[in-house]
């Protein structure tokens, strides 16, 4: 079935690295996304990776993709208090048509 | 560009009342979506539209109706509100089904 799983909570100290993990179901996914949701706001695209890539780096963000294990991770280097938010991964599930599947979200809390 | 806007931002309804949530986007996107977000359940797709004049059911369509009379607007209606519809509702739009979605700021609805 279609399911994108994430752990619900992550707590890190300011300045440390955060790693948020996600497992997805569709091996034919073409795009995998990370969204950030700040309190009281909608989701905003943070970064994405094509399925033919293993890694993508964008400033403090590193996305790793393990297609064999269907595992996606988002690493935030030098985590700041402003990074406190809910992070959602999303895959494009292909079943006749395209279907956008969001994970349940990981709430990141950064401790000063 | 305003992006995706939603009105109202907050609403309290009594059981059995009806209301319409309005979503507008100025990016000329074909695809529009309505989600609800509940604690621990991530985002669930209610209805979506692949173009002006079209609508389709998502994962949790019961109790909701939608209309897309103009390309830039996507309306979500609750005919007879129930307490189970207490949630935060998000509208989103995208250029295509595979590309990133742009989210509105959300509508917090409470049904008593």
């Amino acid at each position: 079935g279609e399911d994108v799983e994430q752990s619900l909570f992550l707590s890190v100290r300011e300045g440390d690295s955060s790693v948020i993990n996600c497992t997805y179901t569709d091996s034919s996914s073409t795009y995998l996304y990370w969204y950030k949701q700040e309190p009281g706001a909608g989701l905003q695209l943070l970064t994405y990776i094509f399925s033919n890539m293993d890694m993508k780096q964008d400033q403090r963000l590193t996305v790793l993709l393990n297609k064999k294990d269907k595992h996606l991770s988002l690493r935030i280097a030098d985590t700041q208090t402003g990074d406190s938010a809910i992070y959602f991964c999303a895959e494009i599930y292909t079943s006749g048509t395209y279907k956008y599947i969001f994970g349940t979200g990981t709430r990141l809390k950064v401790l000063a | 560009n305003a992006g995706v806007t939603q009105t109202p931002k907050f609403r309290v309804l009594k059981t059995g009342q009806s209301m319409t949530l309005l979503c507008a986007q100025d990016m000329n996107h074909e695809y529009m979506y309505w989600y609800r977000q509940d604690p621990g359940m991530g985002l669930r797709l209610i209805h979506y539209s692949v173009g002006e004049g079209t609508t389709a059911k998502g994962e949790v369509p019961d109790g909701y109706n939608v209309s897309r009379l103009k390309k830039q607007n996507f309306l979500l209606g609750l005919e007879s509100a129930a307490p189970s519809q207490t949630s935060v509702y998000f509208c989103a739009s995208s250029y295509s089904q595979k590309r990133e979605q742009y989210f509105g700021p959300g509508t917090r609805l409470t049904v008593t």
Side-chain angles (χ1 to χ4, degrees), chain A residues 30-31 33 35 37 40-43 45 88 92 97-98 100 102-104, chain B residues 35 37 40-43 48 90 97-106:
Chain A
T30 51
Y31 295 83
Y33 296 94
Y35 287 83
Q37 184 183 29
L43 279 68
L45 180 70
F88 291 89
I92 308 297
T97 183
Y98 295 107
Y100 223 97
F102 285 92
T104 50
Chain B
Y35 293 92
Q37 184 179 28
M41 300 189 76
L43 290 170
Y48 64 100
F90 288 100
Q97 283 181 299
K98 293 195 290 182
R99 299 300 299 272
E100 66 270 24
Q101 295 187 7
Y102 293 81
F103 283 79

Side-chain angles (χ1 to χ4, degrees), chain A residues 22-24 27 32 49 51 53-55 63-73:
Chain A
C22 170
T23 56
Y24 61 96
S27 56
L32 293 137
I49 188 167
S51 59
M53 299 168 67
D54 296 323
M55 185 182 89
V63 180
L64 294 177
L65 176 59
N66 180 331
K67 289 185 284 294
K68 176 175 170 289
D69 295 337
K70 296 180 192 170
H71 183 264
L72 181 72
S73 68

Side-chain angles (χ1 to χ4, degrees), chain B:
Chain B
N1 272 0
V4 180
T5 58
Q6 292 182 233
T7 51
K9 287 187 168 50
F10 302 94
R11 186 72 187 267
V12 178
L13 289 179
K14 292 190 189 307
T15 297
Q17 287 184 319
S18 63
M19 78 163 293
T20 301
L21 282 68
L22 171 64
C23 175
Q25 53 95 4
D26 61 2
M27 297 172 281
N28 202 35
H29 286 166
E30 290 291 338
Y31 296 83
M32 296 188 75
Y33 313 83
W34 275 108
Y35 293 92
R36 59 178 288 173
Q37 184 179 28
D38 301 292
M41 300 189 76
L43 290 170
R44 291 185 291 170
L45 182 65
I46 304 171
H47 286 280
Y48 64 100
S49 168
V50 302
E52 182 179 316
T54 75
T55 63
K57 292 180 181 180
E59 185 186 349
V60 288
D62 294 342
Y64 305 95
N65 57 75
V66 287
S67 64
R68 184 108 180 259
L69 298 178
K70 292 183 180 180
K71 187 177 184 179
Q72 62 267 35
N73 296 337
F74 195 29
L75 279 63
L76 177 72
L78 284 74
E79 291 175 347
S80 179
S84 60
Q85 294 177 305
T86 293
S87 187
V88 181
Y89 292 85
F90 288 100
C91 175
S93 71
S94 67
Y95 173 72
S96 79
Q97 283 181 299
K98 293 195 290 182
R99 299 300 299 272
E100 66 270 24
Q101 295 187 7
Y102 293 81
F103 283 79
T107 296
R108 185 174 293 275
L109 174 67
T110 302
V111 183
T112 61

